[in-house]
Amino acid sequence: ISTITKAAAVPTDDYKMKYVPPTKYVPPTASEEEEEEETPWEEELKPEQQVYPKGTPIYKYFEDCECWYAGEITMWDEGSGWYEVLYEDGDKREYEDNEELSQMVQDGQELTNDKNAETENEEQAEEAEEVELPVEEFEQAVEQDEIQESTNMSEFSQDIEFETPVYKEFGDGWYAGKITQFYPQTGVYTVTYRDGEKEEYRSDEEELMGILSNAAPPQSYPLGVEVYKEFDDGWYWGTITDYNEGTYEVTFSDDETVEYDEDDPELMNGIEAVYEAESWDEEIKEEEDGEDNE
C-alpha cells in the first residue's frame, strides 16, 4: 500500500474494494456553535452578572473631607465585574460589587426619594396657590383624599350662602364683608371684605360663626361701626354707640347723637360713605406721594 493515499478504501456488501472520494472539511457555522451545550467548565468561567444598571444613583461619604458626594453608575465591566461611578464634581472611581457599593446604592436611593418628596411638596404648594387654597388645608386634603374629581363626591356641604354679610373688628376698626367662595373639597369659606382683603375659614371655626353673628339680624351693625355723614355745616365722622329694639344711636365727632331706624337709608348711606371716604384718602395720598417724587 502506498504511503500517500488519494482515496479511502472501505468494505462493501460484497466485500469488494470500492473507491470513495475524500470528504472536504467544513468548519461549523456560528448558529451550530450556539446550539452546542456549554461544558461544565465553561459555566464556571462565565463572567459575573450585572446587578446595578447604568444610571443607578449613589451617595457616598468620604472621610478625608468629611463630606457627602452624589453620583451615578456610568459603566459596568463585564470582564472584571467592577462598576464605574461618576460623581457630581466630575471625579470617576471604580468599585467592585461588595457591601460598600451596596451601601452607596442604598444611600443614593434614599437621597433620590427625599428629593422626589421635596419636589412633590413644592408642586402641591404651587397647585394650592393656583386653586387659592391655603397650603396647609390643601396638604391635609391631599393626605385624606378629600379632593375629588366631582364636587358631588365631597364630604362637605355648603351651609352658608354666597353674599351672606359678615362684620369683623380689626386693629383699625370694623370691616364689612361677605361670603364669596366655598371649597367643598375642604369645607373652607372665603370672606372678601370691603377693602378687597380676603380671609379663609373652615366651616367649623368659631371665628367664622362670630363674624357672621356680628352682621346677623336683628342687629346687623355691631357697636363701634363707623358712620360718615354730611350735615349742613360739613361732613362728620361718627360711630354706632347703642342699639335698642331696631334703633341705632350714632355719636358723631362733635358729641352730637342721632338715632336711626335699622332700615333708615341715611344710616346705610352713612356707613357706605366710610368706604368711599377711605378710598378718597388713599387717592389723595397717592397724588401727594406722586408730587413729592416729582
Side-chain angles (χ1 to χ4, degrees):
I1 302 174
S2 174
T3 58
I4 300 176
T5 305
K6 294 184 177 179
V10 295
T12 60
D13 293 341
D14 55 1
Y15 299 98
K16 292 181 179 180
M17 300 300 292
K18 190 171 183 180
Y19 173 74
V20 179
T23 304
K24 184 178 179 180
Y25 173 76
V26 179
T29 62
S31 59
E32 291 175 346
E33 289 181 346
E34 293 176 357
E35 292 177 357
E36 293 182 1
E37 296 182 358
E38 295 178 344
T39 59
W41 57 85
E42 288 176 332
E43 293 178 354
E44 293 177 0
L45 296 176
K46 189 173 182 178
E48 300 179 23
Q49 298 296 319
Q50 183 177 2
V51 178
Y52 307 113
K54 179 180 178 181
T56 299
I58 62 96
Y59 199 44
K60 178 174 171 58
Y61 179 77
F62 291 88
E63 295 183 355
D64 55 349
C65 65
E66 297 183 351
C67 55
W68 288 85
Y69 276 92
E72 66 177 22
I73 292 175
T74 55
M75 190 178 68
W76 178 71
D77 185 73
E78 184 176 357
S80 64
W82 284 55
Y83 292 85
E84 180 186 79
V85 172
L86 174 63
Y87 287 95
E88 56 188 335
D89 63 350
D91 185 27
K92 287 185 180 180
R93 300 198 181 188
E94 293 183 348
Y95 300 90
E96 62 178 322
D97 188 3
N98 55 20
E99 292 183 3
E100 180 185 17
L101 181 62
S102 176
Q103 185 63 49
M104 291 163 58
V105 171
Q106 181 179 344
D107 293 338
Q109 186 60 53
E110 292 178 359
L111 176 64
T112 301
N113 293 340
D114 292 342
K115 289 183 177 179
N116 291 340
E118 183 178 352
T119 301
E120 184 178 356
N121 291 336
E122 291 176 354
E123 292 176 350
Q124 289 181 0
E126 292 176 358
E127 189 174 352
E129 291 179 358
E130 291 177 359
V131 298
E132 297 181 0
L133 275 175
V135 175
E136 294 180 359
E137 294 293 336
F138 183 83
E139 290 177 350
Q140 182 180 6
V142 171
E143 291 175 1
Q144 298 176 355
D145 293 330
E146 292 178 352
I147 294 185
Q148 308 290 341
E149 294 181 359
S150 171
T151 56
N152 295 332
M153 300 174 64
S154 171
E155 179 182 346
F156 300 94
S157 59
Q158 182 177 354
D159 299 324
I160 307 172
E161 297 181 358
F162 294 139
E163 303 297 318
T164 299
V166 303
Y167 253 109
K168 182 176 179 179
E169 186 176 19
F170 291 89
D172 57 345
W174 285 88
Y175 283 82
K178 56 186 177 181
I179 303 294
T180 55
Q181 198 166 5
F182 175 69
Y183 299 99
Q185 299 89 353
T186 57
V188 173
Y189 287 92
T190 297
V191 174
T192 303
Y193 294 96
R194 288 296 306 269
D195 62 353
E197 295 295 323
K198 294 183 179 181
E199 289 187 331
E200 291 174 330
Y201 298 92
R202 293 192 306 273
S203 56
D204 58 349
E205 282 193 59
E206 292 184 4
E207 187 174 4
L208 175 62
M209 299 298 104
I211 62 177
L212 286 168
S213 64
N214 289 338
Q219 184 178 346
S220 301
Y221 307 116
L223 302 184
V225 169
E226 291 182 301
V227 179
Y228 192 50
K229 189 174 186 310
E230 184 179 19
F231 292 90
D232 294 338
D233 56 346
W235 286 86
Y236 286 83
W237 286 93
T239 56
I240 295 177
T241 52
D242 192 19
Y243 173 80
N244 184 24
E245 297 181 356
T247 301
Y248 290 93
E249 180 186 80
V250 177
T251 302
F252 289 93
S253 55
D254 60 354
D255 294 331
E256 293 291 329
T257 59
V258 180
E259 292 186 348
Y260 298 94
D261 291 336
E262 57 186 1
D263 56 353
D264 191 329
E266 288 192 17
L267 176 63
M268 299 178 186
N269 293 336
I271 294 174
E272 186 71 21
V274 171
Y275 300 100
E276 296 178 0
E278 291 177 349
S279 176
W280 297 334
D281 291 341
E282 291 178 1
E283 291 178 1
I284 293 172
K285 186 176 183 303
E286 290 177 358
E287 291 178 0
E288 292 177 348
D289 292 340
E291 292 176 356
D292 293 339
N293 293 332
E294 292 176 358

